[in-house]
Amino acid sequence: MKILVFGPQGSGKGTQAELISRKYKLPYIATGDIFRFHIKEGTQLGKKVKSYVDKGELTPGSLTNEIVKDRIQQPDCSVGFVLDGYPRNISQQKFLESIAKIDLVFVINISDTEAVSRLKDRLACKCGLSYHPVNNPPYKKGICNKCGDKLFVRDDDKPAAIKKRLAIYHKETELVLEIYQKSNTLHQINGAQGIEEVFAEIDNIIILYK
Ligand code: AMP
């Protein structure tokens, strides 16, 4: 099964993509996590993309396409994958269409006001999980449940970058959603609910599809 998870920043798309991946034993791929890993490790790629990621802008050119192509052609993706953060514009969507047939697309909807309020308090871990002090607190304050690492505030969760990321989502990524809507692959999910309720909505659709 090849699944895409969309949603504005703060919608919980990463959390839901992780839950799908765990339940259905599909590799979880998040382009944002791949970039953050490279930035943290100080690789060539990391140096190239750091300024874009920190400001909340899309990394330019076909870089992300090549990263995704390489990743989904790895043997573990022969069963499918859950992709989070890609495609984010029409050109990436066209590229993805040329290398993979997508089965299910979810968009987790929340308002911009809710997105801003969730993101400004968000804490992230380098393993990709994120937490919120009220909606999704870690068991131990400031520490990741999964890997025990220290949580941190992402540079792109600061107000100016949040604004830019939401604007890109509305201007570019929503056009991608229209394409999946037309091909009847898109499922709208109400993101203004608890994590378990959102996952139940998604899971009911996956069960019907399987
Ligand atoms: P995310 O964690 O999905 O919010 O992504 C964090 C940042 O990584 C984005 O603001 C972009 O700078 C970069 N990024 C992630 N995915 C893409 C993509 N598909 N195309 C271009 N840039 C991306």
Side-chain angles (χ1 to χ4, degrees):
M1 237 180 336
K2 300 188 177 89
I3 299 177
L4 305 180
V5 183
F6 287 93
Q9 287 67 25
S11 61
K13 68 184 163 58
T15 303
Q16 296 300 327
E18 246 270 324
L19 290 171
I20 301 170
S21 140
R22 222 181 297 158
K23 174 155 185 191
Y24 292 97
K25 301 195 177 11
L26 296 168
Y28 167 45
I29 306 165
T31 46
D33 288 347
I34 295 175
F35 288 134
R36 278 185 292 278
F37 170 82
H38 282 273
I39 292 170
K40 191 159 182 290
E41 296 295 312
T43 65
Q44 283 292 92
L45 172 66
K47 288 184 185 129
K48 219 161 149 181
V49 300
K50 185 174 183 334
S51 66
Y52 297 98
V53 174
D54 284 353
K55 279 187 279 184
E57 288 168 7
L58 295 189
T59 59
S62 58
L63 196 69
T64 322
N65 291 343
E66 294 311 318
I67 288 170
V68 171
K69 182 177 176 191
D70 179 66
R71 182 63 191 89
I72 69 176
Q73 285 174 349
Q74 301 293 318
D76 64 328
C77 290
S78 60
V79 290
F81 50 78
V82 188
L83 194 47
D84 158 11
Y86 181 93
R88 261 171 148 103
N89 58 28
I90 295 282
S91 127
Q92 292 182 356
Q93 193 278 331
K94 293 233 168 330
F95 182 82
L96 180 63
E97 200 176 276
S98 73
I99 56 169
K101 189 189 168 306
I102 301 304
D103 301 301
L104 285 171
V105 180
F106 296 103
V107 56
I108 303 170
N109 297 307
I110 55 165
S111 69
D112 280 9
T113 319
E114 178 68 15
V116 171
S117 129
R118 288 184 187 184
L119 285 177
K120 71 177 176 38
D121 295 323
R122 178 160 85 165
L123 287 169
C125 178
K126 69 168 172 22
C127 75
L129 288 188
S130 51
Y131 299 87
H132 185 276
V134 179
N135 303 334
N136 181 28
Y139 302 136
K140 203 169 153 202
K141 200 174 166 201
I143 302 291
C144 178
N145 295 347
K146 188 174 153 195
C147 62
D149 261 26
K150 245 177 112 176
L151 303 176
F152 58 92
V153 177
R154 283 169 43 173
D155 273 334
D156 60 349
D157 279 348
K158 300 195 172 135
I162 293 176
K163 222 174 134 195
K164 202 175 284 172
R165 290 160 69 208
L166 285 171
I168 294 172
Y169 181 79
H170 293 307
K171 185 162 172 259
E172 302 199 37
T173 311
E174 281 180 352
L175 295 176
V176 173
L177 297 179
E178 281 175 22
I179 295 176
Y180 292 118
Q181 180 80 60
K182 280 185 194 138
S183 64
N184 290 325
T185 358
L186 185 70
H187 298 270
Q188 308 271 353
I189 305 295
N190 173 11
Q193 322 176 71
I195 292 173
E196 278 150 36
E197 288 78 15
V198 174
F199 184 63
E201 252 190 56
I202 292 176
D203 202 25
N204 284 338
I205 295 165
I206 299 180
I207 290 166
L208 283 179
Y209 180 83
K210 274 189 82 181

